[in-house]
Amino acid sequence: MSPGPVLTYLDHAATTPMRPEALDAMLPFLTDRFGNPSGSHRPARAARRAVDDARDVMAEALGCEPGEVVFTSGGTEADNTAVAGALACRPGSVAVAPAAEHQAVLAPVEAAAGRLVGVDGTGRVDHDSLSAALGPDVAVVSVMLANNEVGTVTPLEEVVVLVAEHAPGAVLHTDAVQAFPWLDVAPAAAAAGLVSVSAHKFGGPQGVGALVVRRGVALAPLLRGGGQERDRRSGTSNVAGIVGMAAAARVLQGDRSEVVARVGALRDRLADGLLAAVPGTVETGVGGAWPNRDHKVAGSCHLCFDDVEAEALLFLLDQAGVCASAASSCASGAAEPSHVLAAMGMDRARAGGSLRLSLGWTTTEADVDHALTVVPAAVARLRQARL
Ligand code: PLP
């Protein structure tokens, strides 16, 4: 079934439309250039060269050596590998992560009986809580660079100091999946020994990502088998996906600052417009001690509407041609309120009326105009129905 025309796509944090350059780069590898890069004949060697070239591009974008890039099936695999792989190298050790991490980090941490630590009202890790959870038994600390629901960026410099002081044997992992479209991850994640990214969040295809494993970091593989990726991730390489990811990264490295400036202005107009048009609206993690949006990625607009149920609002928005999300895309549809908002200390009632509008490289002024018409009308209709 065709989903019909998408009028206003404001769910870039869930997945982005592909950059045309990425699709163009992939197509030959889905047709005549189909070799398996592990082989020895000419088509295989050609595929291997393409993967190596892509590795060079990703290494430059991520600020590491090509040999430190491990291609994965996406952000989830990269995060799981980082947490489980570090723990596996030190039997009896513990993983630590803030409670507002993505499930791709939380689930492996919880499965290994790890420690979750608190966050502040923006979603940033609380330093006292983190320090208290650290110790010589900790093998990995995972702190995301940008939060997928509320868009808050966490500078890692102070985190790495705390880790070095209280858990000197631990490696710092950062989930940079939501940061990469907006930040120069090479300097921003330089303090982390392990870094995860995912292509479909920045104009590449779904189902491919990368984990930076810096030299000297001990990491057991999650997938064992044919020994691909220098034994760090077995399985035939997704050549077209890897090539597409690198093409998207190359374009993004060239125009990121322009996209950030343009989309940031659109986001501000959208957020300010909705706050002005809809009484009883709170912008998540903004206001009080955090008066502006400087701590958020440029594409993130997260609001909570009083007396509105998020799922009903999403339904009306979808009918009116606006694609948005309530919690992280994986959790959307679940009745439970977002674990991120709960960790930030938001009460259930307010969290129940949350809306994530995430802008991206294709977002236009017309999208913002459309959302500024549709969202206030939908909220008003839902509130009217409660009377
Ligand atoms: N980490 C974060 C912060 C994410 O937002 C996502 C996807 O929503 C993931 C990890 C998982 O990435 P993937 O969809 O590539 O498995």
Side-chain angles (χ1 to χ4, degrees):
M1 190 185 74
S2 157
V6 171
L7 299 179
T8 293
Y9 184 79
L10 294 174
D11 204 12
H12 284 255
T15 199
T16 52
M18 271 178 55
R19 298 273 198 161
E21 294 87 346
L23 185 60
D24 288 348
M26 290 173 75
L27 277 175
F29 296 93
L30 294 166
T31 51
D32 49 329
R33 297 179 67 182
F34 55 83
N36 182 330
S38 299
S40 58
H41 46 64
R42 258 178 299 157
R45 293 200 307 273
R48 190 155 62 243
R49 267 197 301 279
V51 171
D52 285 345
D53 290 347
R55 201 182 301 281
D56 289 345
V57 172
M58 293 310 296
E60 190 168 344
L62 293 166
C64 64
E65 296 297 319
E68 295 174 326
V69 174
V70 177
F71 290 124
T72 68
S73 65
T76 301
E77 186 192 318
D79 286 349
N80 271 259
T81 305
V83 173
L87 288 174
C89 290
R90 277 181 53 193
S93 63
V94 175
V96 172
E101 292 291 303
H102 191 275
Q103 292 294 354
V105 165
L106 289 183
V109 169
E110 286 174 332
R115 296 177 197 138
L116 298 187
V117 301
V119 299
D120 67 15
T122 67
R124 274 185 185 156
V125 64
D126 177 78
H127 289 171
D128 292 339
S129 177
L130 177 62
S131 302
L134 296 176
D137 57 343
V138 176
V140 56
V141 180
S142 188
V143 177
M144 70 201 321
L145 205 46
N147 184 274
N148 48 298
E149 283 188 39
V150 296
T152 299
V153 175
T154 296
L156 296 178
E157 291 76 15
E158 291 167 71
V159 172
V160 82
V161 170
L162 293 179
V163 173
E165 195 177 331
H166 301 289
V171 60
L172 176 63
H173 165 247
T174 191
D175 176 336
V177 167
Q178 294 289 345
F180 193 78
W182 309 108
L183 304 181
D184 186 357
V185 163
L194 299 164
V195 185
S196 302
V197 293
S198 174
H200 73 110
K201 309 293 186 178
F202 61 88
Q206 296 169 351
V208 62
L211 177 66
V212 174
V213 183
R214 293 200 205 278
R215 198 175 311 149
V217 171
L219 199 77
L222 199 62
L223 299 185
R224 298 171 194 270
Q228 289 89 345
E229 298 294 301
R230 294 211 210 147
D231 253 344
R232 293 167 300 183
R233 195 276 185 188
S234 286
T236 300
S237 308
N238 173 1
V239 179
I242 289 167
V243 166
M245 171 163 68
R250 182 181 279 143
V251 181
L252 176 60
Q253 291 295 98
D255 71 5
R256 190 189 276 114
S257 46
E258 181 268 317
V259 172
V260 166
R262 187 180 66 77
V263 174
L266 289 173
R267 186 275 312 272
D268 288 345
R269 186 161 82 80
L270 178 62
D272 292 339
L274 291 175
L275 286 166
V278 187
T281 305
V282 172
E283 187 172 8
T284 312
V286 176
W290 307 284
N292 54 42
R293 302 183 185 109
D294 290 352
H295 57 288
K296 296 176 69 137
V297 293
S300 170
C301 172
H302 193 284
L303 303 168
C304 292
F305 301 104
D306 292 348
D307 306 320
V308 162
E309 252 183 49
E311 292 305 322
L313 178 59
L314 287 182
F315 178 77
L316 290 186
L317 297 187
D318 188 30
Q319 281 195 323
V322 173
C323 302
S325 157
S328 72
S329 60
C330 322
S332 191
E336 274 303 293
S338 139
H339 72 278
V340 174
L341 301 181
M344 288 164 62
M346 189 182 286
D347 65 63
R348 244 183 122 91
R350 172 154 288 166
S354 67
L355 180 68
R356 180 183 76 178
L357 298 164
S358 51
L359 295 70
W361 71 276
T362 56
T363 306
T364 62
E365 297 282 356
D367 290 330
V368 172
D369 290 340
H370 189 215
L372 285 174
T373 306
V374 166
V375 177
V379 171
R381 194 172 143 193
L382 292 172
R383 286 180 176 165
Q384 188 65 32
R386 287 170 78 109
L387 295 177

